[in-house]
PDB file of all heavy atoms in Angstrom:
ATOM      1  N   ALA A   1      10.095 100.827 183.946  1.00 88.00           N
ATOM      2  CA  ALA A   1       9.870 100.780 182.497  1.00 88.00           C
ATOM      3  C   ALA A   1      10.693 101.890 181.872  1.00 88.00           C
ATOM      4  O   ALA A   1      10.489 103.069 182.181  1.00 88.00           O
ATOM      5  CB  ALA A   1       8.394 100.944 182.176  1.00 88.00           C
ATOM      6  N   SER A   2      11.642 101.531 181.032  1.00 89.00           N
ATOM      7  CA  SER A   2      12.589 102.502 180.482  1.00 89.00           C
ATOM      8  C   SER A   2      12.498 102.550 178.970  1.00 89.00           C
ATOM      9  O   SER A   2      12.247 101.545 178.306  1.00 89.00           O
ATOM     10  CB  SER A   2      14.021 102.136 180.889  1.00 89.00           C
ATOM     11  OG  SER A   2      14.148 102.069 182.298  1.00 89.00           O
ATOM     12  N   SER A   3      12.735 103.748 178.427  1.00 92.00           N
ATOM     13  CA  SER A   3      12.833 103.901 176.982  1.00 92.00           C
ATOM     14  C   SER A   3      14.162 103.308 176.519  1.00 92.00           C
ATOM     15  O   SER A   3      15.205 103.543 177.144  1.00 92.00           O
ATOM     16  CB  SER A   3      12.764 105.379 176.599  1.00 92.00           C
ATOM     17  OG  SER A   3      11.515 105.928 176.964  1.00 92.00           O
ATOM     18  N   ILE A   4      14.132 102.561 175.431  1.00 92.00           N
ATOM     19  CA  ILE A   4      15.336 101.905 174.945  1.00 92.00           C
ATOM     20  C   ILE A   4      16.192 102.912 174.181  1.00 92.00           C
ATOM     21  O   ILE A   4      15.719 103.529 173.219  1.00 92.00           O
ATOM     22  CB  ILE A   4      14.975 100.727 174.025  1.00 92.00           C
ATOM     23  CG1 ILE A   4      14.110  99.710 174.777  1.00 92.00           C
ATOM     24  CG2 ILE A   4      16.220 100.052 173.486  1.00 92.00           C
ATOM     25  CD1 ILE A   4      13.626  98.562 173.926  1.00 92.00           C
ATOM     26  N   PRO A   5      17.433 103.113 174.603  1.00 92.00           N
ATOM     27  CA  PRO A   5      18.319 104.015 173.856  1.00 92.00           C
ATOM     28  C   PRO A   5      18.526 103.515 172.428  1.00 92.00           C
ATOM     29  O   PRO A   5      18.450 102.319 172.156  1.00 92.00           O
ATOM     30  CB  PRO A   5      19.630 103.971 174.659  1.00 92.00           C
ATOM     31  CG  PRO A   5      19.256 103.443 176.004  1.00 92.00           C
ATOM     32  CD  PRO A   5      18.100 102.538 175.779  1.00 92.00           C
ATOM     33  N   LEU A   6      18.793 104.455 171.517  1.00 92.00           N
ATOM     34  CA  LEU A   6      18.980 104.098 170.115  1.00 92.00           C
ATOM     35  C   LEU A   6      20.135 103.117 169.944  1.00 92.00           C
ATOM     36  O   LEU A   6      20.052 102.181 169.150  1.00 92.00           O
ATOM     37  CB  LEU A   6      19.241 105.361 169.287  1.00 92.00           C
ATOM     38  CG  LEU A   6      19.478 105.142 167.789  1.00 92.00           C
ATOM     39  CD1 LEU A   6      18.278 104.453 167.143  1.00 92.00           C
ATOM     40  CD2 LEU A   6      19.775 106.466 167.106  1.00 92.00           C
ATOM     41  N   SER A   7      21.216 103.312 170.708  1.00 91.00           N
ATOM     42  CA  SER A   7      22.372 102.415 170.586  1.00 91.00           C
ATOM     43  C   SER A   7      22.009 100.990 170.975  1.00 91.00           C
ATOM     44  O   SER A   7      22.452 100.027 170.327  1.00 91.00           O
ATOM     45  CB  SER A   7      23.523 102.924 171.468  1.00 91.00           C
ATOM     46  OG  SER A   7      23.105 103.038 172.820  1.00 91.00           O
ATOM     47  N   VAL A   8      21.189 100.825 172.026  1.00 93.00           N
ATOM     48  CA  VAL A   8      20.764  99.489 172.447  1.00 93.00           C
ATOM     49  C   VAL A   8      19.805  98.899 171.421  1.00 93.00           C
ATOM     50  O   VAL A   8      19.864  97.702 171.112  1.00 93.00           O
ATOM     51  CB  VAL A   8      20.106  99.544 173.842  1.00 93.00           C
ATOM     52  CG1 VAL A   8      19.550  98.180 174.239  1.00 93.00           C
ATOM     53  CG2 VAL A   8      21.112 100.017 174.887  1.00 93.00           C
ATOM     54  N   ALA A   9      18.923  99.728 170.869  1.00 93.00           N
ATOM     55  CA  ALA A   9      17.993  99.249 169.838  1.00 93.00           C
ATOM     56  C   ALA A   9      18.760  98.734 168.617  1.00 93.00           C
ATOM     57  O   ALA A   9      18.427  97.682 168.059  1.00 93.00           O
ATOM     58  CB  ALA A   9      17.043 100.373 169.436  1.00 93.00           C
ATOM     59  N   LEU A  10      19.804  99.458 168.207  1.00 93.00           N
ATOM     60  CA  LEU A  10      20.616  99.011 167.079  1.00 93.00           C
ATOM     61  C   LEU A  10      21.342  97.708 167.407  1.00 93.00           C
ATOM     62  O   LEU A  10      21.493  96.833 166.545  1.00 93.00           O
ATOM     63  CB  LEU A  10      21.625 100.097 166.709  1.00 93.00           C
ATOM     64  CG  LEU A  10      21.036 101.372 166.087  1.00 93.00           C
ATOM     65  CD1 LEU A  10      22.121 102.427 165.906  1.00 93.00           C
ATOM     66  CD2 LEU A  10      20.355 101.073 164.760  1.00 93.00           C
ATOM     67  N   THR A  11      21.783  97.564 168.656  1.00 92.00           N
ATOM     68  CA  THR A  11      22.439  96.327 169.082  1.00 92.00           C
ATOM     69  C   THR A  11      21.491  95.139 168.972  1.00 92.00           C
ATOM     70  O   THR A  11      21.866  94.074 168.471  1.00 92.00           O
ATOM     71  CB  THR A  11      22.938  96.463 170.534  1.00 92.00           C
ATOM     72  OG1 THR A  11      23.918  97.500 170.598  1.00 92.00           O
ATOM     73  CG2 THR A  11      23.549  95.171 171.026  1.00 92.00           C
ATOM     74  N   LEU A  12      20.259  95.318 169.445  1.00 93.00           N
ATOM     75  CA  LEU A  12      19.274  94.236 169.388  1.00 93.00           C
ATOM     76  C   LEU A  12      18.962  93.860 167.936  1.00 93.00           C
ATOM     77  O   LEU A  12      18.867  92.677 167.601  1.00 93.00           O
ATOM     78  CB  LEU A  12      17.991  94.652 170.113  1.00 93.00           C
ATOM     79  CG  LEU A  12      18.107  94.914 171.617  1.00 93.00           C
ATOM     80  CD1 LEU A  12      16.763  95.356 172.175  1.00 93.00           C
ATOM     81  CD2 LEU A  12      18.607  93.684 172.356  1.00 93.00           C
ATOM     82  N   LYS A  13      18.806  94.866 167.087  1.00 93.00           N
ATOM     83  CA  LYS A  13      18.489  94.597 165.679  1.00 93.00           C
ATOM     84  C   LYS A  13      19.651  93.883 164.995  1.00 93.00           C
ATOM     85  O   LYS A  13      19.449  92.928 164.230  1.00 93.00           O
ATOM     86  CB  LYS A  13      18.164  95.906 164.961  1.00 93.00           C
ATOM     87  CG  LYS A  13      17.623  95.712 163.552  1.00 93.00           C
ATOM     88  CD  LYS A  13      17.124  97.002 162.973  1.00 93.00           C
ATOM     89  CE  LYS A  13      16.549  96.795 161.580  1.00 93.00           C
ATOM     90  NZ  LYS A  13      15.398  95.874 161.580  1.00 93.00           N
ATOM     91  N   PHE A  14      20.876  94.311 165.280  1.00 92.00           N
ATOM     92  CA  PHE A  14      22.054  93.672 164.693  1.00 92.00           C
ATOM     93  C   PHE A  14      22.173  92.228 165.153  1.00 92.00           C
ATOM     94  O   PHE A  14      22.473  91.333 164.358  1.00 92.00           O
ATOM     95  CB  PHE A  14      23.312  94.454 165.069  1.00 92.00           C
ATOM     96  CG  PHE A  14      24.588  93.768 164.673  1.00 92.00           C
ATOM     97  CD1 PHE A  14      25.018  93.775 163.358  1.00 92.00           C
ATOM     98  CD2 PHE A  14      25.351  93.107 165.613  1.00 92.00           C
ATOM     99  CE1 PHE A  14      26.193  93.135 162.986  1.00 92.00           C
ATOM    100  CE2 PHE A  14      26.530  92.459 165.265  1.00 92.00           C
ATOM    101  CZ  PHE A  14      26.950  92.480 163.939  1.00 92.00           C
ATOM    102  N   PHE A  15      21.924  92.002 166.445  1.00 93.00           N
ATOM    103  CA  PHE A  15      22.030  90.640 166.977  1.00 93.00           C
ATOM    104  C   PHE A  15      20.990  89.734 166.339  1.00 93.00           C
ATOM    105  O   PHE A  15      21.293  88.582 165.984  1.00 93.00           O
ATOM    106  CB  PHE A  15      21.860  90.668 168.495  1.00 93.00           C
ATOM    107  CG  PHE A  15      22.082  89.341 169.146  1.00 93.00           C
ATOM    108  CD1 PHE A  15      23.365  88.859 169.376  1.00 93.00           C
ATOM    109  CD2 PHE A  15      21.015  88.548 169.534  1.00 93.00           C
ATOM    110  CE1 PHE A  15      23.580  87.625 169.965  1.00 93.00           C
ATOM    111  CE2 PHE A  15      21.211  87.316 170.124  1.00 93.00           C
ATOM    112  CZ  PHE A  15      22.501  86.856 170.344  1.00 93.00           C
ATOM    113  N   LEU A  16      19.777  90.220 166.181  1.00 93.00           N
ATOM    114  CA  LEU A  16      18.724  89.430 165.535  1.00 93.00           C
ATOM    115  C   LEU A  16      19.115  89.081 164.107  1.00 93.00           C
ATOM    116  O   LEU A  16      18.953  87.929 163.683  1.00 93.00           O
ATOM    117  CB  LEU A  16      17.410  90.212 165.558  1.00 93.00           C
ATOM    118  CG  LEU A  16      16.254  89.595 164.770  1.00 93.00           C
ATOM    119  CD1 LEU A  16      15.896  88.217 165.305  1.00 93.00           C
ATOM    120  CD2 LEU A  16      15.032  90.514 164.798  1.00 93.00           C
ATOM    121  N   GLU A  17      19.626  90.050 163.354  1.00 92.00           N
ATOM    122  CA  GLU A  17      20.017  89.789 161.975  1.00 92.00           C
ATOM    123  C   GLU A  17      21.151  88.774 161.901  1.00 92.00           C
ATOM    124  O   GLU A  17      21.209  87.949 160.992  1.00 92.00           O
ATOM    125  CB  GLU A  17      20.422  91.097 161.290  1.00 92.00           C
ATOM    126  CG  GLU A  17      19.271  92.070 161.072  1.00 92.00           C
ATOM    127  CD  GLU A  17      18.145  91.453 160.253  1.00 92.00           C
ATOM    128  OE1 GLU A  17      18.451  90.744 159.267  1.00 92.00           O
ATOM    129  OE2 GLU A  17      16.971  91.665 160.603  1.00 92.00           O
ATOM    130  N   ALA A  18      22.084  88.821 162.868  1.00 91.00           N
ATOM    131  CA  ALA A  18      23.195  87.864 162.887  1.00 91.00           C
ATOM    132  C   ALA A  18      22.687  86.443 163.110  1.00 91.00           C
ATOM    133  O   ALA A  18      23.180  85.493 162.496  1.00 91.00           O
ATOM    134  CB  ALA A  18      24.194  88.254 163.973  1.00 91.00           C
ATOM    135  N   VAL A  19      21.703  86.288 163.995  1.00 91.00           N
ATOM    136  CA  VAL A  19      21.129  84.967 164.252  1.00 91.00           C
ATOM    137  C   VAL A  19      20.363  84.464 163.038  1.00 91.00           C
ATOM    138  O   VAL A  19      20.484  83.297 162.652  1.00 91.00           O
ATOM    139  CB  VAL A  19      20.215  85.006 165.499  1.00 91.00           C
ATOM    140  CG1 VAL A  19      19.465  83.682 165.655  1.00 91.00           C
ATOM    141  CG2 VAL A  19      21.037  85.291 166.757  1.00 91.00           C
ATOM    142  N   LYS A  20      19.586  85.326 162.393  1.00 90.00           N
ATOM    143  CA  LYS A  20      18.801  84.928 161.235  1.00 90.00           C
ATOM    144  C   LYS A  20      19.685  84.602 160.027  1.00 90.00           C
ATOM    145  O   LYS A  20      19.350  83.751 159.218  1.00 90.00           O
ATOM    146  CB  LYS A  20      17.816  86.046 160.870  1.00 90.00           C
ATOM    147  CG  LYS A  20      16.699  86.234 161.878  1.00 90.00           C
ATOM    148  CD  LYS A  20      15.903  87.494 161.608  1.00 90.00           C
ATOM    149  CE  LYS A  20      15.209  87.452 160.268  1.00 90.00           C
ATOM    150  NZ  LYS A  20      14.384  88.671 160.044  1.00 90.00           N
ATOM    151  N   MET A  21      20.836  85.274 159.926  1.00 88.00           N
ATOM    152  CA  MET A  21      21.712  85.076 158.783  1.00 88.00           C
ATOM    153  C   MET A  21      22.308  83.669 158.769  1.00 88.00           C
ATOM    154  O   MET A  21      22.405  83.040 157.715  1.00 88.00           O
ATOM    155  CB  MET A  21      22.844  86.108 158.810  1.00 88.00           C
ATOM    156  CG  MET A  21      23.755  86.067 157.594  1.00 88.00           C
ATOM    157  SD  MET A  21      25.070  87.309 157.723  1.00 88.00           S
ATOM    158  CE  MET A  21      24.089  88.797 157.881  1.00 88.00           C
ATOM    159  N   GLN A  22      22.698  83.159 159.942  1.00 85.00           N
ATOM    160  CA  GLN A  22      23.303  81.825 159.999  1.00 85.00           C
ATOM    161  C   GLN A  22      22.926  81.150 161.322  1.00 85.00           C
ATOM    162  O   GLN A  22      23.729  81.081 162.244  1.00 85.00           O
ATOM    163  CB  GLN A  22      24.826  81.921 159.872  1.00 85.00           C
ATOM    164  CG  GLN A  22      25.487  80.567 159.627  1.00 85.00           C
ATOM    165  CD  GLN A  22      26.988  80.698 159.453  1.00 85.00           C
ATOM    166  OE1 GLN A  22      27.652  81.444 160.150  1.00 85.00           O
ATOM    167  NE2 GLN A  22      27.535  79.930 158.518  1.00 85.00           N
ATOM    168  N   PRO A  23      21.696  80.630 161.430  1.00 88.00           N
ATOM    169  CA  PRO A  23      21.276  80.012 162.692  1.00 88.00           C
ATOM    170  C   PRO A  23      22.026  78.730 163.012  1.00 88.00           C
ATOM    171  O   PRO A  23      22.236  78.409 164.185  1.00 88.00           O
ATOM    172  CB  PRO A  23      19.782  79.751 162.476  1.00 88.00           C
ATOM    173  CG  PRO A  23      19.619  79.683 160.989  1.00 88.00           C
ATOM    174  CD  PRO A  23      20.621  80.627 160.428  1.00 88.00           C
ATOM    175  N   VAL A  24      22.425  77.965 161.990  1.00 88.00           N
ATOM    176  CA  VAL A  24      23.194  76.736 162.222  1.00 88.00           C
ATOM    177  C   VAL A  24      24.378  76.708 161.261  1.00 88.00           C
ATOM    178  O   VAL A  24      24.346  77.315 160.191  1.00 88.00           O
ATOM    179  CB  VAL A  24      22.339  75.458 162.027  1.00 88.00           C
ATOM    180  CG1 VAL A  24      21.219  75.391 163.038  1.00 88.00           C
ATOM    181  CG2 VAL A  24      21.792  75.382 160.606  1.00 88.00           C
ATOM    182  N   ARG A  25      25.436  75.993 161.651  1.00 88.00           N
ATOM    183  CA  ARG A  25      26.623  75.874 160.817  1.00 88.00           C
ATOM    184  C   ARG A  25      27.404  74.645 161.243  1.00 88.00           C
ATOM    185  O   ARG A  25      27.145  74.058 162.309  1.00 88.00           O
ATOM    186  CB  ARG A  25      27.500  77.117 160.940  1.00 88.00           C
ATOM    187  CG  ARG A  25      27.957  77.402 162.362  1.00 88.00           C
ATOM    188  CD  ARG A  25      28.916  78.568 162.403  1.00 88.00           C
ATOM    189  NE  ARG A  25      29.224  79.011 163.738  1.00 88.00           N
ATOM    190  CZ  ARG A  25      30.066  78.422 164.561  1.00 88.00           C
ATOM    191  NH1 ARG A  25      30.688  77.322 164.168  1.00 88.00           N
ATOM    192  NH2 ARG A  25      30.312  78.903 165.769  1.00 88.00           N
ATOM    193  N   ALA A  26      28.368  74.263 160.438  1.00 88.00           N
ATOM    194  CA  ALA A  26      29.248  73.152 160.789  1.00 88.00           C
ATOM    195  C   ALA A  26      30.175  73.581 161.916  1.00 88.00           C
ATOM    196  O   ALA A  26      30.622  74.733 161.952  1.00 88.00           O
ATOM    197  CB  ALA A  26      30.064  72.729 159.573  1.00 88.00           C
ATOM    198  N   PRO A  27      30.452  72.710 162.873  1.00 89.00           N
ATOM    199  CA  PRO A  27      31.350  73.080 163.976  1.00 89.00           C
ATOM    200  C   PRO A  27      32.760  73.353 163.475  1.00 89.00           C
ATOM    201  O   PRO A  27      33.238  72.709 162.535  1.00 89.00           O
ATOM    202  CB  PRO A  27      31.306  71.850 164.894  1.00 89.00           C
ATOM    203  CG  PRO A  27      30.905  70.723 164.010  1.00 89.00           C
ATOM    204  CD  PRO A  27      29.997  71.317 162.982  1.00 89.00           C
ATOM    205  N   LYS A  28      33.413  74.304 164.113  1.00 83.00           N
ATOM    206  CA  LYS A  28      34.758  74.680 163.725  1.00 83.00           C
ATOM    207  C   LYS A  28      35.707  74.505 164.897  1.00 83.00           C
ATOM    208  O   LYS A  28      35.321  74.658 166.053  1.00 83.00           O
ATOM    209  CB  LYS A  28      34.799  76.130 163.233  1.00 83.00           C
ATOM    210  CG  LYS A  28      33.969  76.373 161.981  1.00 83.00           C
ATOM    211  CD  LYS A  28      34.065  77.807 161.528  1.00 83.00           C
ATOM    212  CE  LYS A  28      33.260  78.024 160.253  1.00 83.00           C
ATOM    213  NZ  LYS A  28      33.351  79.433 159.772  1.00 83.00           N
ATOM    214  N   GLY A  29      36.953  74.208 164.580  1.00 77.00           N
ATOM    215  CA  GLY A  29      37.957  74.041 165.611  1.00 77.00           C
ATOM    216  C   GLY A  29      38.575  75.360 166.019  1.00 77.00           C
ATOM    217  O   GLY A  29      38.168  76.436 165.579  1.00 77.00           O
ATOM    218  N   ILE A  30      39.599  75.293 166.847  1.00 71.00           N
ATOM    219  CA  ILE A  30      40.292  76.487 167.297  1.00 71.00           C
ATOM    220  C   ILE A  30      41.039  77.095 166.112  1.00 71.00           C
ATOM    221  O   ILE A  30      41.783  76.401 165.415  1.00 71.00           O
ATOM    222  CB  ILE A  30      41.282  76.146 168.429  1.00 71.00           C
ATOM    223  CG1 ILE A  30      40.518  75.550 169.616  1.00 71.00           C
ATOM    224  CG2 ILE A  30      42.074  77.372 168.845  1.00 71.00           C
ATOM    225  CD1 ILE A  30      41.418  75.058 170.721  1.00 71.00           C
ATOM    226  N   PRO A  31      40.857  78.391 165.853  1.00 69.00           N
ATOM    227  CA  PRO A  31      41.542  78.990 164.700  1.00 69.00           C
ATOM    228  C   PRO A  31      43.053  79.031 164.908  1.00 69.00           C
ATOM    229  O   PRO A  31      43.536  79.190 166.025  1.00 69.00           O
ATOM    230  CB  PRO A  31      40.953  80.403 164.641  1.00 69.00           C
ATOM    231  CG  PRO A  31      40.481  80.678 166.026  1.00 69.00           C
ATOM    232  CD  PRO A  31      40.016  79.357 166.568  1.00 69.00           C
ATOM    233  N   ARG A  32      43.791  78.877 163.803  1.00 71.00           N
ATOM    234  CA  ARG A  32      45.244  78.944 163.902  1.00 71.00           C
ATOM    235  C   ARG A  32      45.686  80.382 164.136  1.00 71.00           C
ATOM    236  O   ARG A  32      44.979  81.334 163.778  1.00 71.00           O
ATOM    237  CB  ARG A  32      45.886  78.401 162.635  1.00 71.00           C
ATOM    238  CG  ARG A  32      45.663  79.228 161.396  1.00 71.00           C
ATOM    239  CD  ARG A  32      46.240  78.555 160.166  1.00 71.00           C
ATOM    240  NE  ARG A  32      46.217  79.415 158.997  1.00 71.00           N
ATOM    241  CZ  ARG A  32      45.180  79.582 158.223  1.00 71.00           C
ATOM    242  NH1 ARG A  32      44.048  78.935 158.500  1.00 71.00           N
ATOM    243  NH2 ARG A  32      45.227  80.384 157.178  1.00 71.00           N
ATOM    244  N   VAL A  33      46.852  80.549 164.717  1.00 69.00           N
ATOM    245  CA  VAL A  33      47.379  81.876 165.000  1.00 69.00           C
ATOM    246  C   VAL A  33      47.903  82.487 163.715  1.00 69.00           C
ATOM    247  O   VAL A  33      48.684  81.860 162.989  1.00 69.00           O
ATOM    248  CB  VAL A  33      48.488  81.817 166.062  1.00 69.00           C
ATOM    249  CG1 VAL A  33      49.082  83.200 166.294  1.00 69.00           C
ATOM    250  CG2 VAL A  33      47.943  81.238 167.357  1.00 69.00           C
ATOM    251  N   GLY A  34      47.475  83.698 163.416  1.00 69.00           N
ATOM    252  CA  GLY A  34      47.814  84.296 162.143  1.00 69.00           C
ATOM    253  C   GLY A  34      48.825  85.413 162.199  1.00 69.00           C
ATOM    254  O   GLY A  34      49.282  85.889 161.166  1.00 69.00           O
ATOM    255  N   GLY A  35      49.209  85.875 163.381  1.00 76.00           N
ATOM    256  CA  GLY A  35      50.158  86.972 163.465  1.00 76.00           C
ATOM    257  C   GLY A  35      49.524  88.311 163.130  1.00 76.00           C
ATOM    258  O   GLY A  35      48.309  88.483 163.196  1.00 76.00           O
ATOM    259  N   GLU A  36      50.361  89.276 162.740  1.00 81.00           N
ATOM    260  CA  GLU A  36      49.866  90.614 162.442  1.00 81.00           C
ATOM    261  C   GLU A  36      49.048  90.598 161.157  1.00 81.00           C
ATOM    262  O   GLU A  36      49.451  90.005 160.151  1.00 81.00           O
ATOM    263  CB  GLU A  36      51.041  91.579 162.303  1.00 81.00           C
ATOM    264  CG  GLU A  36      50.599  93.012 162.118  1.00 81.00           C
ATOM    265  CD  GLU A  36      51.774  93.965 162.064  1.00 81.00           C
ATOM    266  OE1 GLU A  36      52.497  94.070 163.090  1.00 81.00           O
ATOM    267  OE2 GLU A  36      51.990  94.577 160.998  1.00 81.00           O
ATOM    268  N   ILE A  37      47.907  91.289 161.178  1.00 84.00           N
ATOM    269  CA  ILE A  37      46.981  91.262 160.045  1.00 84.00           C
ATOM    270  C   ILE A  37      46.927  92.618 159.338  1.00 84.00           C
ATOM    271  O   ILE A  37      47.045  92.688 158.126  1.00 84.00           O
ATOM    272  CB  ILE A  37      45.579  90.834 160.514  1.00 84.00           C
ATOM    273  CG1 ILE A  37      45.628  89.388 161.025  1.00 84.00           C
ATOM    274  CG2 ILE A  37      44.558  90.972 159.397  1.00 84.00           C
ATOM    275  CD1 ILE A  37      44.357  88.937 161.685  1.00 84.00           C
ATOM    276  N   PHE A  38      46.700  93.681 160.083  1.00 87.00           N
ATOM    277  CA  PHE A  38      46.713  95.004 159.469  1.00 87.00           C
ATOM    278  C   PHE A  38      47.119  96.046 160.502  1.00 87.00           C
ATOM    279  O   PHE A  38      47.161  95.781 161.703  1.00 87.00           O
ATOM    280  CB  PHE A  38      45.351  95.361 158.846  1.00 87.00           C
ATOM    281  CG  PHE A  38      44.199  95.300 159.810  1.00 87.00           C
ATOM    282  CD1 PHE A  38      44.008  96.272 160.791  1.00 87.00           C
ATOM    283  CD2 PHE A  38      43.262  94.280 159.725  1.00 87.00           C
ATOM    284  CE1 PHE A  38      42.940  96.213 161.665  1.00 87.00           C
ATOM    285  CE2 PHE A  38      42.189  94.210 160.598  1.00 87.00           C
ATOM    286  CZ  PHE A  38      42.030  95.186 161.572  1.00 87.00           C
ATOM    287  N   ARG A  39      47.424  97.220 160.015  1.00 87.00           N
ATOM    288  CA  ARG A  39      47.756  98.348 160.875  1.00 87.00           C
ATOM    289  C   ARG A  39      46.854  99.524 160.512  1.00 87.00           C
ATOM    290  O   ARG A  39      46.594  99.771 159.328  1.00 87.00           O
ATOM    291  CB  ARG A  39      49.227  98.758 160.722  1.00 87.00           C
ATOM    292  CG  ARG A  39      50.212  97.696 161.183  1.00 87.00           C
ATOM    293  CD  ARG A  39      51.619  98.232 161.245  1.00 87.00           C
ATOM    294  NE  ARG A  39      52.551  97.197 161.703  1.00 87.00           N
ATOM    295  CZ  ARG A  39      53.822  97.441 162.017  1.00 87.00           C
ATOM    296  NH1 ARG A  39      54.311  98.678 161.928  1.00 87.00           N
ATOM    297  NH2 ARG A  39      54.610  96.460 162.425  1.00 87.00           N
ATOM    298  N   VAL A  40      46.383 100.218 161.544  1.00 88.00           N
ATOM    299  CA  VAL A  40      45.507 101.374 161.324  1.00 88.00           C
ATOM    300  C   VAL A  40      45.945 102.507 162.239  1.00 88.00           C
ATOM    301  O   VAL A  40      46.670 102.303 163.215  1.00 88.00           O
ATOM    302  CB  VAL A  40      44.024 101.031 161.608  1.00 88.00           C
ATOM    303  CG1 VAL A  40      43.521  99.968 160.660  1.00 88.00           C
ATOM    304  CG2 VAL A  40      43.823 100.590 163.060  1.00 88.00           C
ATOM    305  N   ASP A  41      45.477 103.694 161.919  1.00 87.00           N
ATOM    306  CA  ASP A  41      45.752 104.860 162.754  1.00 87.00           C
ATOM    307  C   ASP A  41      44.661 105.893 162.517  1.00 87.00           C
ATOM    308  O   ASP A  41      43.894 105.799 161.553  1.00 87.00           O
ATOM    309  CB  ASP A  41      47.129 105.449 162.430  1.00 87.00           C
ATOM    310  CG  ASP A  41      47.669 106.308 163.581  1.00 87.00           C
ATOM    311  OD1 ASP A  41      46.952 106.443 164.592  1.00 87.00           O
ATOM    312  OD2 ASP A  41      48.787 106.849 163.461  1.00 87.00           O
ATOM    313  N   ALA A  42      44.609 106.872 163.414  1.00 89.00           N
ATOM    314  CA  ALA A  42      43.640 107.963 163.295  1.00 89.00           C
ATOM    315  C   ALA A  42      44.341 109.276 163.601  1.00 89.00           C
ATOM    316  O   ALA A  42      45.251 109.327 164.434  1.00 89.00           O
ATOM    317  CB  ALA A  42      42.469 107.752 164.259  1.00 89.00           C
ATOM    318  N   LYS A  43      43.916 110.311 162.933  1.00 88.00           N
ATOM    319  CA  LYS A  43      44.483 111.635 163.134  1.00 88.00           C
ATOM    320  C   LYS A  43      43.357 112.633 163.376  1.00 88.00           C
ATOM    321  O   LYS A  43      42.345 112.623 162.673  1.00 88.00           O
ATOM    322  CB  LYS A  43      45.296 112.068 161.914  1.00 88.00           C
ATOM    323  CG  LYS A  43      45.895 113.468 162.035  1.00 88.00           C
ATOM    324  CD  LYS A  43      46.654 113.846 160.765  1.00 88.00           C
ATOM    325  CE  LYS A  43      47.242 115.251 160.879  1.00 88.00           C
ATOM    326  NZ  LYS A  43      47.977 115.643 159.658  1.00 88.00           N
TER     327      LYS A  43
END
């Protein structure tokens, strides 16, 4: 029996909210290739 780490607890809560937000939807095909979208960096 283990204590749930905060990071795992946040993961579970996020996953639940994602399921509740859109439980069903219209089926979608394979997305088209879009190429480069954005560039980011960190300093």
Side-chain angles (χ1 to χ4, degrees):
S2 303
S3 297
I4 301 176
L6 179 59
S7 57
V8 175
L10 291 174
T11 297
L12 296 178
K13 189 171 182 61
F14 172 77
F15 185 79
L16 173 60
E17 292 303 319
V19 172
K20 291 170 63 178
M21 185 181 302
Q22 192 178 41
V24 296
R25 58 175 171 78
K28 297 181 178 181
I30 300 174
R32 67 185 189 277
V33 177
E36 185 177 296
I37 295 172
F38 57 74
R39 295 190 179 189
V40 297
D41 201 359
K43 178 182 179 180

